[in-house]
Amino acid sequence: MDKNFLNNLKYLYDPVEIAFAWSEMQSQAIINHPEFGKISPNDYRARFNGKVCPFCAQRMVHGQDLHMTRSRDEAISRKYQYADKNGNKKINNAGGIYYHPHYVTLDHVVNKARCPELMFKADNLQIMCWKCNVEKGDNNSYEIELILDFTRDIAREALERYKPL
């Protein structure tokens, strides 16, 4: 990969240019992963087909032929529609394509719009399902908040089971 391309990422400010750079490199071995070596974002995601999302514990799916459609009605019939945390009906959609809610995504720990130079850095990428990725959005404290909610739930359950004396 051209080192100038990676070096020039830090000069991207326009969200359209950032999205273009990300989409153009999906099939290029641009991520230098410590375990997988040089790998493309597409190949990275494919390795997690059938694995459990680390945030919601649902099995993730991969493969556009099996888990995407251009028809909203077909997406609904395939049960791609779900309720978000506010109870609103949602279907994951990118570029007019509807995806399974647990389709494998690569999330940027630090948003690529904030630090485009980290866009293809392995330590800035984490695997999660699309539903969790949408829920996380640009919230860099998402994982900490999940742990806090989990800890509160455990404490509440313990207090209900074992009443204080």
Side-chain angles (χ1 to χ4, degrees):
M1 178 49 48
D2 182 5
K3 286 190 180 200
N4 285 334
F5 172 80
L6 293 174
N7 289 335
N8 287 333
L9 289 175
K10 63 184 165 198
Y11 300 112
L12 294 180
Y13 297 104
D14 182 355
V16 173
E17 289 177 350
I18 293 168
F20 180 77
W22 177 250
S23 67
E24 282 297 301
M25 301 310 287
Q26 292 305 295
S27 297
Q28 302 297 318
I30 193 164
I31 300 167
N32 191 12
H33 194 277
E35 183 181 345
F36 307 138
K38 286 291 225 184
I39 190 168
S40 73
N42 284 338
D43 290 338
Y44 192 173
R45 280 189 292 273
R47 289 179 175 267
F48 290 85
N49 183 35
K51 301 277 187 343
V52 172
C53 173
F55 295 92
C56 70
Q58 296 294 314
R59 289 222 180 268
M60 296 183 291
V61 298
H62 189 267
Q64 290 187 358
D65 294 341
L66 298 172
H67 305 290
M68 60 75 72
T69 179
R70 292 194 179 276
S71 164
R72 180 176 175 77
D73 291 338
E74 185 176 341
I76 291 169
S77 73
R78 289 184 182 185
K79 301 188 182 351
Y80 290 0
Q81 191 172 42
Y82 61 92
D84 66 13
K85 64 183 176 182
N86 297 322
N88 301 316
K89 290 184 178 178
K90 189 162 195 66
I91 304 176
N92 300 326
N93 180 332
I97 300 173
Y98 299 94
Y99 288 89
H100 188 286
H102 300 293
Y103 198 84
V104 180
T105 65
L106 271 176
D107 173 64
H108 294 87
V109 178
V110 176
N111 188 296
K112 61 184 179 274
R114 293 174 191 232
C115 295
E117 67 273 18
L118 302 177
M119 190 178 333
F120 299 103
K121 299 287 186 190
D123 59 353
N124 189 46
L125 297 171
Q126 62 185 350
I127 291 289
M128 66 173 60
C129 76
W130 197 317
K131 184 177 176 182
C132 289
N133 199 342
V134 168
E135 189 174 304
K136 175 189 176 262
D138 194 19
N139 180 359
N140 290 331
S141 65
Y142 179 74
E143 191 169 358
I144 294 167
E145 290 171 14
L146 285 178
I147 292 168
L148 179 60
D149 288 346
F150 178 71
T151 305
R152 285 183 182 145
D153 289 345
I154 289 175
R156 188 172 22 261
E157 178 71 23
L159 288 172
E160 287 174 10
R161 271 192 207 182
Y162 308 103
K163 302 288 183 198
L165 300 175

